[in-house]
Amino acid sequence: MTMVRVRFAPSPTGQPHIGWARTALFNWLFARHFGGTFVLRIEDTDQKRSVEGAAQVFDDAFSWLGFTYDEGPNKDGGFGPYLQSERLANHLAVRDRLLEEGKAYPCFCSPETLDAGRAEDRRLGRPPRYPATCRSIAAEEGRARIAAGEAHVIRLKVPPEGRLVVHDLIRGDVEFDLAVLDDFVLIKADGTPTYNFAAVVDDAQMAISHVLRADEHLSNTPKQLLLYQAMGLPAPAFAHVPMILAPDHSKLSKRHGATPIAEFVAQGFLPEAVVNYLMMLGWNPGGDREFLTLDEAAELFTLERVQKNPAVYDTQKMTWMNAHYLRALSEDELWRRTLPFLSAQKLLAEPVSAELGAYARSALSLVQSRVSTLAEAADAVRFFFEEPREFDPAGVAKHLARPGTAGHLTALAGRLAQTDFSAGALETALTELAAELGVSRAELIHPARLAVSGKTVGPGLFEMLAVLGAKGTVDRLHAAAKMAAP
RNA sequence: GACCCCAUCGUCUAGAGGCCUAGGACGUCACCCUUUCACGGUGAAGACCCGGGUUCGAAUCCCGGUGGGGUCACCA
């Protein structure tokens, strides 16, 4: 088999989002599976839309996701440059050759004329096509007008009829009628190449063997095939992967479900969970298996198992998967990953002492099975670092309103003050006190939980108190006694 | 509108003519565990878009319809 070289060619506009990540991931998986090379090329041909520092943004996204390109900006593999705008000379050289060989020609029609033509086509209900007006201009005259500085674009001579078939590795053969294509633009009036032209020239020169890209590009493929023919070069294999759709089944857009990677980072998602979720959107290893590492997926990844139909992106399932990975984290790992969230919320300041670190670790493991993201973990552990500022109103009404509760809390505070702060000893002490007071354990447990955490839900009371410690526990029980019914 | 792609529970999917009484996961609901909430466990409801063929037999193959999506630029 020939050397597998795939590329991911994003435009530098906007933030990398999930659709972006999924396509990049499939390319990476495919490259790894076949021991090939994954190339990143930034398609910044449209100057108006380029964004400064795009390469850095991509690098950050890749480094979080946990996989990256083998060749790209700052990672020369001998096929650079990897910024499309820097490949202009190559594009123009190909343009010149096509012009010389009579496969392309200059077009002097004004945008207004073309717009009018398209409007007319639409009105008459036929597909809008460029009428090839300038195709008949003699090469000599064309050269003269260009030399005279007349505004022009360069167009490809497209055969007026015939059929073209795209051998798609996922969809099989897809046939297109050349009659629906027109002599499309290769070089714009400002002298820069169009997407289709630049992409084809670059893919060819970068020796790309397989083009794996989103389904939306399938309609572009015949144009690109025509270009390979004109250039006299073999086309790469194509595979169009299904798109990811927003929950309302519409195309992902900034306004609509295309959550930026940075947003997942900020919400405390784990990259291994996001990647696992994403790889299963439109692909699966067969059977019921759903948890895979990147390496395992690379081993198993084949285009045969890529879905043909688009997948709707479901936050709930991704959140579930994140919670699953979160629960599997070791105490140290959970602490290490949650630390940035804790310090962002000013719950502790770095550097953290060994003692405080141990305390945080214990607190964190108590909430581990109860949260879905790192941000939630930081939040759930808040009361271990500061006294509760507010108390759940329903909880107050339910657990602090019973007459005698204030006395019970005071008694509990007194009893616990003399107790060893281990979960076992605390439980024994509370159980004994409940018996002495003639109340159920629950009548002590619920008010106590509310007193120390402000909430009605959370970790087991005794484990919680054991971590919180005597001082914090006793103070909070006394404070709550003042709010409780006497 | 034209062209192209697609079609299994609400969602992600298994399924490559008989193994399907259509399996799994998320979500939903119940129950168990339990000091609360989670976790975990058990169970329930829930789908082959419709219509024609082909075949002894179709979720699987073919055709048509319908529905959804994409593309129709001097944007990528």
mmCIF file of all heavy atoms in Angstrom, chain B residues 28-41:
data_model
loop_
_atom_site.group_PDB
_atom_site.id
_atom_site.type_symbol
_atom_site.label_atom_id
_atom_site.label_comp_id
_atom_site.label_asym_id
_atom_site.label_seq_id
_atom_site.Cartn_x
_atom_site.Cartn_y
_atom_site.Cartn_z
ATOM 1 P P U B 28 -32.761 11.334 33.252
ATOM 2 O OP1 U B 28 -32.941 12.577 34.029
ATOM 3 O OP2 U B 28 -31.968 10.214 33.811
ATOM 4 O "O5'" U B 28 -34.189 10.743 32.839
ATOM 5 C "C5'" U B 28 -35.153 11.578 32.210
ATOM 6 C "C4'" U B 28 -36.412 10.801 31.945
ATOM 7 O "O4'" U B 28 -36.166 9.804 30.915
ATOM 8 C "C3'" U B 28 -36.924 9.982 33.120
ATOM 9 O "O3'" U B 28 -37.661 10.798 34.020
ATOM 10 C "C2'" U B 28 -37.795 8.955 32.421
ATOM 11 O "O2'" U B 28 -39.033 9.507 32.019
ATOM 12 C "C1'" U B 28 -36.967 8.652 31.166
ATOM 13 N N1 U B 28 -36.089 7.489 31.353
ATOM 14 C C2 U B 28 -36.661 6.223 31.198
ATOM 15 O O2 U B 28 -37.829 6.054 30.924
ATOM 16 N N3 U B 28 -35.794 5.175 31.384
ATOM 17 C C4 U B 28 -34.451 5.253 31.710
ATOM 18 O O4 U B 28 -33.799 4.221 31.837
ATOM 19 C C5 U B 28 -33.948 6.598 31.858
ATOM 20 C C6 U B 28 -34.767 7.644 31.683
ATOM 21 P P C B 29 -37.526 10.476 35.599
ATOM 22 O OP1 C B 29 -38.154 11.610 36.290
ATOM 23 O OP2 C B 29 -36.150 10.066 35.934
ATOM 24 O "O5'" C B 29 -38.464 9.184 35.758
ATOM 25 C "C5'" C B 29 -39.822 9.240 35.353
ATOM 26 C "C4'" C B 29 -40.418 7.863 35.457
ATOM 27 O "O4'" C B 29 -39.865 7.017 34.411
ATOM 28 C "C3'" C B 29 -40.065 7.118 36.731
ATOM 29 O "O3'" C B 29 -40.882 7.518 37.812
ATOM 30 C "C2'" C B 29 -40.307 5.676 36.311
ATOM 31 O "O2'" C B 29 -41.674 5.349 36.279
ATOM 32 C "C1'" C B 29 -39.750 5.681 34.889
ATOM 33 N N1 C B 29 -38.337 5.277 34.853
ATOM 34 C C2 C B 29 -38.052 3.905 34.799
ATOM 35 O O2 C B 29 -38.997 3.099 34.774
ATOM 36 N N3 C B 29 -36.758 3.496 34.776
ATOM 37 C C4 C B 29 -35.782 4.397 34.806
ATOM 38 N N4 C B 29 -34.530 3.952 34.784
ATOM 39 C C5 C B 29 -36.046 5.796 34.876
ATOM 40 C C6 C B 29 -37.329 6.195 34.894
ATOM 41 P P A B 30 -40.398 7.156 39.310
ATOM 42 O OP1 A B 30 -41.375 7.788 40.222
ATOM 43 O OP2 A B 30 -38.960 7.417 39.461
ATOM 44 O "O5'" A B 30 -40.583 5.578 39.280
ATOM 45 C "C5'" A B 30 -41.554 4.957 40.080
ATOM 46 C "C4'" A B 30 -41.415 3.476 39.943
ATOM 47 O "O4'" A B 30 -40.756 3.131 38.705
ATOM 48 C "C3'" A B 30 -40.541 2.849 41.008
ATOM 49 O "O3'" A B 30 -41.263 2.699 42.209
ATOM 50 C "C2'" A B 30 -40.169 1.516 40.356
ATOM 51 O "O2'" A B 30 -41.206 0.580 40.429
ATOM 52 C "C1'" A B 30 -39.962 1.958 38.892
ATOM 53 N N9 A B 30 -38.565 2.274 38.590
ATOM 54 C C8 A B 30 -37.995 3.497 38.350
ATOM 55 N N7 A B 30 -36.709 3.435 38.097
ATOM 56 C C5 A B 30 -36.410 2.093 38.181
ATOM 57 C C6 A B 30 -35.211 1.375 38.015
ATOM 58 N N6 A B 30 -34.040 1.934 37.720
ATOM 59 N N1 A B 30 -35.252 0.025 38.180
ATOM 60 C C2 A B 30 -36.430 -0.541 38.472
ATOM 61 N N3 A B 30 -37.624 0.021 38.658
ATOM 62 C C4 A B 30 -37.545 1.356 38.489
ATOM 63 P P C B 31 -40.525 3.134 43.556
ATOM 64 O OP1 C B 31 -41.604 3.375 44.539
ATOM 65 O OP2 C B 31 -39.532 4.189 43.266
ATOM 66 O "O5'" C B 31 -39.761 1.800 43.939
ATOM 67 C "C5'" C B 31 -40.473 0.564 44.030
ATOM 68 C "C4'" C B 31 -39.524 -0.575 43.834
ATOM 69 O "O4'" C B 31 -38.930 -0.492 42.508
ATOM 70 C "C3'" C B 31 -38.312 -0.569 44.758
ATOM 71 O "O3'" C B 31 -38.614 -1.077 46.041
ATOM 72 C "C2'" C B 31 -37.355 -1.468 43.997
ATOM 73 O "O2'" C B 31 -37.673 -2.835 44.163
ATOM 74 C "C1'" C B 31 -37.630 -1.047 42.544
ATOM 75 N N1 C B 31 -36.650 -0.052 42.080
ATOM 76 C C2 C B 31 -35.361 -0.503 41.752
ATOM 77 O O2 C B 31 -35.105 -1.701 41.856
ATOM 78 N N3 C B 31 -34.439 0.390 41.339
ATOM 79 C C4 C B 31 -34.764 1.682 41.239
ATOM 80 N N4 C B 31 -33.818 2.520 40.818
ATOM 81 C C5 C B 31 -36.063 2.162 41.575
ATOM 82 C C6 C B 31 -36.974 1.266 41.985
ATOM 83 P P C B 32 -37.784 -0.548 47.300
ATOM 84 O OP1 C B 32 -38.434 -1.061 48.521
ATOM 85 O OP2 C B 32 -37.544 0.901 47.144
ATOM 86 O "O5'" C B 32 -36.397 -1.306 47.101
ATOM 87 C "C5'" C B 32 -36.359 -2.743 47.119
ATOM 88 C "C4'" C B 32 -34.949 -3.203 46.878
ATOM 89 O "O4'" C B 32 -34.537 -2.805 45.536
ATOM 90 C "C3'" C B 32 -33.903 -2.571 47.776
ATOM 91 O "O3'" C B 32 -33.832 -3.239 49.017
ATOM 92 C "C2'" C B 32 -32.641 -2.759 46.955
ATOM 93 O "O2'" C B 32 -32.118 -4.061 47.078
ATOM 94 C "C1'" C B 32 -33.145 -2.537 45.526
ATOM 95 N N1 C B 32 -32.922 -1.171 45.044
ATOM 96 C C2 C B 32 -31.632 -0.836 44.601
ATOM 97 O O2 C B 32 -30.745 -1.691 44.644
ATOM 98 N N3 C B 32 -31.405 0.415 44.142
ATOM 99 C C4 C B 32 -32.388 1.307 44.106
ATOM 100 N N4 C B 32 -32.107 2.520 43.639
ATOM 101 C C5 C B 32 -33.698 0.991 44.558
ATOM 102 C C6 C B 32 -33.921 -0.248 45.019
ATOM 103 P P C B 33 -33.468 -2.406 50.346
ATOM 104 O OP1 C B 33 -33.471 -3.354 51.490
ATOM 105 O OP2 C B 33 -34.304 -1.178 50.382
ATOM 106 O "O5'" C B 33 -31.953 -1.966 50.082
ATOM 107 C "C5'" C B 33 -30.906 -2.952 50.094
ATOM 108 C "C4'" C B 33 -29.597 -2.286 49.740
ATOM 109 O "O4'" C B 33 -29.691 -1.727 48.410
ATOM 110 C "C3'" C B 33 -29.235 -1.099 50.619
ATOM 111 O "O3'" C B 33 -28.544 -1.540 51.785
ATOM 112 C "C2'" C B 33 -28.325 -0.291 49.715
ATOM 113 O "O2'" C B 33 -26.995 -0.786 49.716
ATOM 114 C "C1'" C B 33 -28.946 -0.529 48.331
ATOM 115 N N1 C B 33 -29.857 0.547 47.913
ATOM 116 C C2 C B 33 -29.314 1.672 47.269
ATOM 117 O O2 C B 33 -28.088 1.718 47.077
ATOM 118 N N3 C B 33 -30.140 2.679 46.894
ATOM 119 C C4 C B 33 -31.446 2.588 47.136
ATOM 120 N N4 C B 33 -32.226 3.592 46.741
ATOM 121 C C5 C B 33 -32.021 1.460 47.784
ATOM 122 C C6 C B 33 -31.198 0.468 48.154
ATOM 123 P P U B 34 -29.171 -1.202 53.232
ATOM 124 O OP1 U B 34 -28.310 -1.864 54.234
ATOM 125 O OP2 U B 34 -30.616 -1.501 53.188
ATOM 126 O "O5'" U B 34 -28.994 0.367 53.366
ATOM 127 C "C5'" U B 34 -27.690 0.931 53.456
ATOM 128 C "C4'" U B 34 -27.794 2.407 53.199
ATOM 129 O "O4'" U B 34 -28.346 2.607 51.881
ATOM 130 C "C3'" U B 34 -28.736 3.155 54.125
ATOM 131 O "O3'" U B 34 -28.075 3.527 55.326
ATOM 132 C "C2'" U B 34 -29.093 4.375 53.269
ATOM 133 O "O2'" U B 34 -28.073 5.347 53.312
ATOM 134 C "C1'" U B 34 -29.163 3.765 51.865
ATOM 135 N N1 U B 34 -30.524 3.373 51.457
ATOM 136 C C2 U B 34 -31.228 4.273 50.667
ATOM 137 O O2 U B 34 -30.764 5.337 50.321
ATOM 138 N N3 U B 34 -32.509 3.867 50.326
ATOM 139 C C4 U B 34 -33.122 2.692 50.674
ATOM 140 O O4 U B 34 -34.255 2.467 50.281
ATOM 141 C C5 U B 34 -32.320 1.817 51.489
ATOM 142 C C6 U B 34 -31.087 2.177 51.849
ATOM 143 P P U B 35 -28.943 3.933 56.629
ATOM 144 O OP1 U B 35 -28.009 3.964 57.749
ATOM 145 O OP2 U B 35 -30.169 3.108 56.649
ATOM 146 O "O5'" U B 35 -29.390 5.420 56.331
ATOM 147 C "C5'" U B 35 -30.488 5.996 57.045
ATOM 148 C "C4'" U B 35 -30.432 7.494 56.862
ATOM 149 O "O4'" U B 35 -29.347 8.024 57.649
ATOM 150 C "C3'" U B 35 -30.112 7.923 55.448
ATOM 151 O "O3'" U B 35 -31.319 8.011 54.706
ATOM 152 C "C2'" U B 35 -29.481 9.292 55.658
ATOM 153 O "O2'" U B 35 -30.431 10.315 55.815
ATOM 154 C "C1'" U B 35 -28.742 9.109 56.990
ATOM 155 N N1 U B 35 -27.298 8.835 56.857
ATOM 156 C C2 U B 35 -26.462 9.892 56.545
ATOM 157 O O2 U B 35 -26.883 11.009 56.340
ATOM 158 N N3 U B 35 -25.139 9.598 56.473
ATOM 159 C C4 U B 35 -24.555 8.365 56.702
ATOM 160 O O4 U B 35 -23.346 8.236 56.624
ATOM 161 C C5 U B 35 -25.488 7.313 57.010
ATOM 162 C C6 U B 35 -26.793 7.580 57.083
ATOM 163 P P U B 36 -31.300 7.763 53.144
ATOM 164 O OP1 U B 36 -32.617 7.214 52.774
ATOM 165 O OP2 U B 36 -30.063 7.032 52.813
ATOM 166 O "O5'" U B 36 -31.196 9.222 52.545
ATOM 167 C "C5'" U B 36 -32.208 10.196 52.828
ATOM 168 C "C4'" U B 36 -31.759 11.510 52.260
ATOM 169 O "O4'" U B 36 -30.562 11.943 52.935
ATOM 170 C "C3'" U B 36 -31.351 11.447 50.804
ATOM 171 O "O3'" U B 36 -32.482 11.559 49.949
ATOM 172 C "C2'" U B 36 -30.451 12.661 50.681
ATOM 173 O "O2'" U B 36 -31.186 13.851 50.599
ATOM 174 C "C1'" U B 36 -29.730 12.631 52.027
ATOM 175 N N1 U B 36 -28.430 11.953 51.979
ATOM 176 C C2 U B 36 -27.384 12.647 51.403
ATOM 177 O O2 U B 36 -27.520 13.746 50.915
ATOM 178 N N3 U B 36 -26.185 12.003 51.405
ATOM 179 C C4 U B 36 -25.921 10.758 51.917
ATOM 180 O O4 U B 36 -24.774 10.308 51.861
ATOM 181 C C5 U B 36 -27.050 10.087 52.496
ATOM 182 C C6 U B 36 -28.244 10.696 52.502
ATOM 183 P P C B 37 -32.531 10.723 48.594
ATOM 184 O OP1 C B 37 -33.848 10.997 47.990
ATOM 185 O OP2 C B 37 -32.106 9.326 48.875
ATOM 186 O "O5'" C B 37 -31.411 11.411 47.705
ATOM 187 C "C5'" C B 37 -31.489 12.800 47.417
ATOM 188 C "C4'" C B 37 -30.200 13.218 46.759
ATOM 189 O "O4'" C B 37 -29.104 13.183 47.713
ATOM 190 C "C3'" C B 37 -29.720 12.287 45.658
ATOM 191 O "O3'" C B 37 -30.399 12.572 44.456
ATOM 192 C "C2'" C B 37 -28.244 12.648 45.575
ATOM 193 O "O2'" C B 37 -28.027 13.866 44.891
ATOM 194 C "C1'" C B 37 -27.905 12.849 47.047
ATOM 195 N N1 C B 37 -27.350 11.630 47.659
ATOM 196 C C2 C B 37 -25.966 11.443 47.595
ATOM 197 O O2 C B 37 -25.270 12.295 47.040
ATOM 198 N N3 C B 37 -25.428 10.328 48.143
ATOM 199 C C4 C B 37 -26.215 9.424 48.732
ATOM 200 N N4 C B 37 -25.634 8.339 49.259
ATOM 201 C C5 C B 37 -27.638 9.589 48.803
ATOM 202 C C6 C B 37 -28.159 10.701 48.252
ATOM 203 P P A B 38 -30.359 11.525 43.231
ATOM 204 O OP1 A B 38 -31.152 12.125 42.154
ATOM 205 O OP2 A B 38 -30.665 10.148 43.711
ATOM 206 O "O5'" A B 38 -28.836 11.612 42.829
ATOM 207 C "C5'" A B 38 -28.199 10.479 42.286
ATOM 208 C "C4'" A B 38 -26.722 10.755 42.310
ATOM 209 O "O4'" A B 38 -26.284 10.963 43.684
ATOM 210 C "C3'" A B 38 -25.885 9.587 41.819
ATOM 211 O "O3'" A B 38 -25.774 9.648 40.405
ATOM 212 C "C2'" A B 38 -24.572 9.810 42.540
ATOM 213 O "O2'" A B 38 -23.823 10.834 41.942
ATOM 214 C "C1'" A B 38 -25.075 10.260 43.909
ATOM 215 N N9 A B 38 -25.381 9.124 44.772
ATOM 216 C C8 A B 38 -26.607 8.647 45.171
ATOM 217 N N7 A B 38 -26.550 7.579 45.930
ATOM 218 C C5 A B 38 -25.188 7.327 46.036
ATOM 219 C C6 A B 38 -24.454 6.327 46.701
ATOM 220 N N6 A B 38 -25.018 5.357 47.419
ATOM 221 N N1 A B 38 -23.108 6.360 46.608
ATOM 222 C C2 A B 38 -22.547 7.341 45.878
ATOM 223 N N3 A B 38 -23.127 8.335 45.202
ATOM 224 C C4 A B 38 -24.461 8.273 45.318
ATOM 225 P P C B 39 -26.042 8.303 39.554
ATOM 226 O OP1 C B 39 -25.914 8.650 38.138
ATOM 227 O OP2 C B 39 -27.284 7.659 40.053
ATOM 228 O "O5'" C B 39 -24.812 7.390 39.990
ATOM 229 C "C5'" C B 39 -23.471 7.853 39.821
ATOM 230 C "C4'" C B 39 -22.525 6.913 40.526
ATOM 231 O "O4'" C B 39 -22.762 6.976 41.963
ATOM 232 C "C3'" C B 39 -22.753 5.449 40.202
ATOM 233 O "O3'" C B 39 -22.120 5.101 38.982
ATOM 234 C "C2'" C B 39 -22.107 4.765 41.391
ATOM 235 O "O2'" C B 39 -20.704 4.762 41.295
ATOM 236 C "C1'" C B 39 -22.539 5.690 42.529
ATOM 237 N N1 C B 39 -23.781 5.236 43.171
ATOM 238 C C2 C B 39 -23.710 4.121 44.029
ATOM 239 O O2 C B 39 -22.617 3.578 44.225
ATOM 240 N N3 C B 39 -24.842 3.674 44.633
ATOM 241 C C4 C B 39 -26.002 4.294 44.401
ATOM 242 N N4 C B 39 -27.086 3.818 45.007
ATOM 243 C C5 C B 39 -26.098 5.426 43.535
ATOM 244 C C6 C B 39 -24.975 5.858 42.944
ATOM 245 P P G B 40 -22.822 4.091 37.970
ATOM 246 O OP1 G B 40 -21.895 3.820 36.870
ATOM 247 O OP2 G B 40 -24.184 4.616 37.693
ATOM 248 O "O5'" G B 40 -22.979 2.773 38.855
ATOM 249 C "C5'" G B 40 -21.824 2.038 39.262
ATOM 250 C "C4'" G B 40 -22.252 0.906 40.163
ATOM 251 O "O4'" G B 40 -22.816 1.450 41.394
ATOM 252 C "C3'" G B 40 -23.379 0.039 39.619
ATOM 253 O "O3'" G B 40 -22.883 -0.939 38.721
ATOM 254 C "C2'" G B 40 -23.922 -0.587 40.895
ATOM 255 O "O2'" G B 40 -23.086 -1.614 41.368
ATOM 256 C "C1'" G B 40 -23.871 0.611 41.851
ATOM 257 N N9 G B 40 -25.118 1.376 41.832
ATOM 258 C C8 G B 40 -25.347 2.591 41.233
ATOM 259 N N7 G B 40 -26.576 3.013 41.383
ATOM 260 C C5 G B 40 -27.202 2.011 42.119
ATOM 261 C C6 G B 40 -28.545 1.903 42.589
ATOM 262 O O6 G B 40 -29.469 2.705 42.442
ATOM 263 N N1 G B 40 -28.755 0.718 43.286
ATOM 264 C C2 G B 40 -27.798 -0.240 43.506
ATOM 265 N N2 G B 40 -28.198 -1.313 44.199
ATOM 266 N N3 G B 40 -26.538 -0.148 43.083
ATOM 267 C C4 G B 40 -26.315 0.989 42.406
ATOM 268 P P G B 41 -23.819 -1.465 37.548
ATOM 269 O OP1 G B 41 -22.997 -2.374 36.722
ATOM 270 O OP2 G B 41 -24.506 -0.314 36.926
ATOM 271 O "O5'" G B 41 -24.910 -2.323 38.341
ATOM 272 C "C5'" G B 41 -24.500 -3.470 39.079
ATOM 273 C "C4'" G B 41 -25.697 -4.079 39.762
ATOM 274 O "O4'" G B 41 -26.200 -3.156 40.768
ATOM 275 C "C3'" G B 41 -26.910 -4.312 38.863
ATOM 276 O "O3'" G B 41 -26.780 -5.508 38.123
ATOM 277 C "C2'" G B 41 -28.030 -4.400 39.889
ATOM 278 O "O2'" G B 41 -28.039 -5.640 40.554
ATOM 279 C "C1'" G B 41 -27.614 -3.301 40.875
ATOM 280 N N9 G B 41 -28.248 -2.020 40.553
ATOM 281 C C8 G B 41 -27.672 -0.931 39.961
ATOM 282 N N7 G B 41 -28.525 0.065 39.812
ATOM 283 C C5 G B 41 -29.718 -0.413 40.337
ATOM 284 C C6 G B 41 -30.987 0.218 40.449
ATOM 285 O O6 G B 41 -31.325 1.349 40.100
ATOM 286 N N1 G B 41 -31.921 -0.638 41.041
ATOM 287 C C2 G B 41 -31.673 -1.908 41.467
ATOM 288 N N2 G B 41 -32.698 -2.563 42.001
ATOM 289 N N3 G B 41 -30.487 -2.495 41.372
ATOM 290 C C4 G B 41 -29.566 -1.695 40.801
#
